[in-house]
Amino acid sequence: QVQLVESGGDLVQAGGSLRLSCAASGSIFRANAMGWYRQAPGKQRDLVARITSGGVINYADSLKGRFTISRDNAKNTVYLQMNSLKPEDTAAYYCYADLSLASGTRTNYWGQGTQVTVSS
């Protein structure tokens, strides 16, 4: 059984920083692209950043320069460093992973979400 376990969400003041982590576990052959989306109340879920197994990175244009995504392929873990946080960054942050399993299947998985709240 595959699981994505997120951590790092918290309440922080504007201007502060947080680091989110997401570890994929289970019968994983290879973690392909991994990344983060976020969803604020009443809004759609939007891409924050994604990173391929080869290290190619895409960011939402509005977040470039403040957020940094990275990964540890050996641990099937993706990180999101968030700096200079703003109240509008408040949202539930969801990890996703495009995983190739030992069974031969390839599927997208989602974490349960971790809440980031930025106070003004």
Side-chain angles (χ1 to χ4, degrees):
Q1 183 176 358
V2 173
Q3 281 189 311
L4 298 185
V5 179
E6 301 149 332
S7 61
D10 206 344
L11 170 64
V12 64
Q13 288 189 333
S17 298
L18 284 175
R19 188 189 194 213
L20 306 183
S21 299
C22 172
S25 62
S27 299
I28 300 168
F29 173 70
R30 181 178 59 244
N32 303 302
M34 301 183 76
W36 296 90
Y37 280 70
R38 69 183 184 183
Q39 187 169 21
K43 296 189 177 181
Q44 67 181 21
R45 189 174 296 188
D46 291 326
L47 174 71
V48 174
R50 69 187 292 271
I51 181 169
T52 69
S53 57
V56 177
I57 293 173
N58 299 104
Y59 291 104
D61 287 342
S62 62
L63 301 176
K64 289 179 181 177
R66 293 194 299 122
F67 289 15
T68 302
I69 191 170
S70 61
R71 64 187 285 170
D72 184 333
N73 288 334
K75 297 180 179 179
N76 291 329
T77 299
V78 63
Y79 306 96
L80 185 68
Q81 178 67 42
M82 304 185 293
N83 298 327
S84 302
L85 283 162
K86 304 176 181 180
E88 52 263 43
D89 294 318
T90 295
Y93 284 69
Y94 295 91
C95 169
Y96 89 94
D98 170 6
L99 300 177
S100 295
L101 305 184
S103 64
T105 61
R106 179 171 175 173
T107 309
N108 285 339
Y109 290 86
W110 290 88
Q112 77 283 1
T114 186
Q115 180 66 36
V116 172
T117 303
V118 184
S119 64
S120 57

